[in-house]
Amino acid sequence: MSKAKVIVTRRWPEAVERALAEEYELVINESDTPMTAEQLQAAFAEADAVCPTVSDKITEQVMSPPSLRAKVIGNYGVGFNHIDLEAAKARDLVVTNTPEVLTDCTADTAMTLMLMVARRAGEGERHVRSKEWTGWRPTHMMGTKVTGKVLGLVGFGRIARAMAHKAHFGFGMQIRYYDPYPPADEIANAYGALRCDSIEEVMASADFVSLHMPGGGANTGIINAQKLALMKPGAYLINTARGDVVDEAALTAALRDRVIAGAGLDVFQKEPTVTEALLSMDNVVLLPHLGSATLETRIAMGMRVVDNLRSFFAGKAPRDRVA
Ligand code: DGY
């Protein structure tokens, strides 16, 4: 029997590429640069499975080659707002993602950003590397204490809960959260987390606000100037979710005018472009979408795609089907 053909749009960890090559006729984008819309469309015409990532825009047009061969999209990543799900469903394309395996590492990145921006770690590192450091002094680079402060979570899914766990048990933080679909009280109680009735309530009451909602749709620009204005002047915004959930121009103005104290950002509105304004600010920590970027997690994510494809091609329901 001939093997199914799988096209992978970027390089994946070696162990995962090897696992895929054992089961499929595998084509990998060796250049590891984003494929064009035309190349992606050709992939949908040529392969049984296309495996994209957040850097690929899987639009209706991409899924509409003259003759569609693909039957499944094995997305590498938990977020899938770069895929037009309605267009996929209309073409009977099954879509899967990679939840759970990246929860801890992404929450760790959110913790890293929170600690870095509060304790001025990026700024301090630049200071040492530029040889400007003249020695210890009591008033040098004083930051903001994290332990015991209030952490507000917008969205209370797996990653937010993992952050709540680390922040509450590791740093004695008080947790507040808002989620349109709140979990049972016992779940929130496990982290001493208090439910808020709105995003506004979280923004106004927290010392650190960390974003954990999906991107796209109604969430686009949901963290706008009005919501930022509710934050305490000494508060910080952390974003490891998606760049589009924040109105970046409004955030830039809030940071510039010290409406808020700072921000830790792993994701941006026009990734990989980061505005000159953000690049020039010292009260911002900027990371290149590193949320899940550990070898262990990136292998686990890939193996989850392998698992989903295996189920699909065996005629079974893939465990991580989202469409
Ligand atoms: C995710 O898993 O959603 C990461 O942001 C990469 O896509």
Side-chain angles (χ1 to χ4, degrees):
M1 218 174 69
S2 70
K3 288 179 172 177
K5 181 167 175 178
V6 173
I7 294 186
V8 169
T9 66
R10 303 300 293 258
R11 295 306 307 262
W12 288 7
E14 213 185 317
V16 189
E17 291 186 353
R18 238 184 294 120
L20 282 173
E22 276 167 23
E23 292 182 48
Y24 304 105
E25 179 192 344
L26 180 66
V27 178
I28 290 170
N29 172 15
E30 300 286 346
S31 76
D32 203 18
T33 54
M35 286 164 64
T36 62
E38 290 71 30
Q39 289 170 323
L40 289 168
Q41 195 190 64
F44 278 83
E46 287 162 25
D48 300 293
V50 178
C51 299
T53 70
V54 67
S55 61
D56 305 302
K57 299 272 165 285
I58 308 300
T59 59
E60 178 168 18
Q61 183 216 340
V62 158
M63 288 180 269
S64 310
S67 160
L68 177 69
R69 172 166 166 185
K71 295 164 208 68
V72 57
I73 300 176
N75 184 56
Y76 184 100
V78 68
F80 46 82
N81 62 311
H82 54 289
I83 302 172
D84 183 338
L85 282 196
E86 290 314 310
K89 281 187 214 159
R91 285 156 185 75
D92 288 329
L93 274 158
V94 168
V95 183
T96 62
N97 71 342
T98 61
E100 294 155 5
V101 288
L102 47 66
T103 299
D104 267 311
C105 282
T106 308
D108 289 351
T109 300
M111 293 296 292
T112 302
L113 284 170
M114 178 170 71
L115 289 162
M116 280 185 77
V117 71
R119 300 301 307 275
R120 302 174 65 176
E123 207 184 330
E125 225 240 355
R126 288 192 291 280
H127 190 67
V128 173
R129 285 182 188 275
S130 64
K131 304 202 168 126
E132 284 168 65
W133 186 34
T134 54
W136 194 92
R137 54 197 190 276
T139 57
H140 187 216
M141 280 207 176
M142 294 179 294
T144 300
K145 185 173 177 177
V146 172
T147 297
K149 293 281 176 65
V150 175
L151 171 63
L153 300 163
V154 182
F156 200 53
R158 294 184 196 92
I159 297 169
R161 290 178 208 174
M163 186 178 190
H165 182 91
K166 293 165 203 288
H168 182 67
F169 294 106
F171 291 82
M173 296 184 84
Q174 306 160 53
I175 313 295
R176 310 255 162 94
Y177 74 93
Y178 169 76
D179 194 296
Y181 307 101
D185 280 347
E186 310 84 85
I187 292 180
N189 291 345
Y191 319 105
L194 292 180
R195 176 147 68 92
C196 294
D197 290 328
S198 63
I199 297 182
E200 284 81 354
E201 200 182 325
V202 174
M203 305 287 290
S205 61
D207 300 301
F208 298 88
V209 174
S210 188
L211 305 178
H212 298 280
M213 66 282 248
N219 285 343
T220 306
I222 195 165
I223 304 300
N224 56 19
Q226 290 75 28
K227 292 200 181 68
L228 291 166
L230 296 171
M231 289 175 71
K232 299 182 190 176
Y236 297 83
L237 185 78
I238 309 300
N239 190 7
T240 53
R242 281 293 181 262
D244 69 359
V245 303
V246 175
D247 175 341
E248 213 168 83
L251 174 63
T252 305
L255 289 163
R256 185 195 56 218
D257 302 340
R258 298 282 167 169
V259 173
I260 65 173
L265 306 174
D266 189 41
V267 286
F268 303 87
Q269 218 163 23
K270 295 209 170 78
E271 260 173 64
T273 303
V274 179
T275 63
E276 286 301 322
L278 286 175
L279 290 171
S280 69
M281 287 177 181
D282 260 333
N283 54 338
V284 186
V285 174
L286 306 165
L287 294 181
H289 203 144
L290 291 182
S292 59
T294 62
L295 179 61
E296 296 91 330
T297 290
R298 290 287 164 88
I299 290 176
M301 289 164 69
M303 292 307 184
R304 199 76 175 219
V305 179
V306 172
D307 205 39
N308 285 319
L309 292 186
R310 193 175 292 139
S311 300
F312 177 83
F313 287 115
K316 297 186 199 141
R319 66 196 286 197
D320 304 317
R321 184 171 179 169
V322 294

